[in-house]
Amino acid sequence: MQDNLNKYLTEIEFLHQQQLYRKPITYIPISATKVIKDDEEYLMMASNNYLGLTHHPEVKKAAINAIEKYGTGSGGSRLISGSHILFSKLEQALAEFKSTEKALVFDMHPKYWTY
């Protein structure tokens, strides 16, 4: 176990030396396109919110309604605890949208992502 720890510490040190070490910054969203970081306002140009929907009143209302109706969280793996009806509805809608027989929606843990 100590060997693994030393391996990772060495890799982290290398990243620091090469100025490649990254860590997340913290900001406060104040609108769909603006954030506050270190008491200054910035235009957010690095998010996936390019349509500005995260603060859209209808999107927020729909999210609140969904939480009130279904709660939060998935409850567990679809293979273990079963598949929520919303997954089935989403997959059917996606299949129709893509004009295909079926669609499959899944969430993969980042440790399995490949770049």
Side-chain angles (χ1 to χ4, degrees):
M1 185 149 146
Q2 187 66 33
D3 289 341
N4 284 339
L5 177 60
N6 287 334
K7 174 186 169 188
Y8 290 117
L9 291 174
T10 301
E11 289 179 20
I12 290 171
E13 179 58 33
F14 176 77
L15 292 173
H16 277 289
Q17 291 171 355
Q18 301 297 312
Q19 297 181 345
L20 297 173
Y21 184 79
R22 297 173 57 188
K23 62 181 182 177
I25 62 165
T26 301
Y27 64 86
I28 300 168
I30 56 175
S31 75
T33 57
K34 295 181 182 174
V35 299
I36 293 179
K37 179 187 172 294
D38 300 329
D39 297 322
E40 291 195 44
E41 187 176 303
Y42 293 90
L43 180 63
M44 173 53 85
M45 299 181 69
S47 85
N48 292 330
N49 186 32
Y50 51 87
L51 296 177
L53 296 177
T54 60
H55 287 76
H56 191 283
E58 289 182 42
V59 173
K60 289 167 51 175
K61 184 177 179 182
I64 290 167
N65 289 341
I67 289 169
E68 288 175 350
K69 185 172 183 177
Y70 301 107
T72 62
S74 63
S77 165
R78 293 170 76 183
L79 293 175
I80 294 172
S81 61
S83 189
H84 196 288
I85 187 67
L86 292 179
F87 278 104
S88 298
K89 289 180 177 183
L90 175 60
E91 290 169 342
Q92 182 179 359
L94 287 171
E96 290 172 10
F97 177 74
K98 295 296 288 178
S99 299
T100 187
E101 183 180 338
K102 293 195 181 248
L104 177 63
V105 174
F106 62 95
D107 184 17
M108 189 172 17
H109 190 280
K111 74 178 184 178
Y112 299 112
W113 295 353
T114 58
Y115 299 94

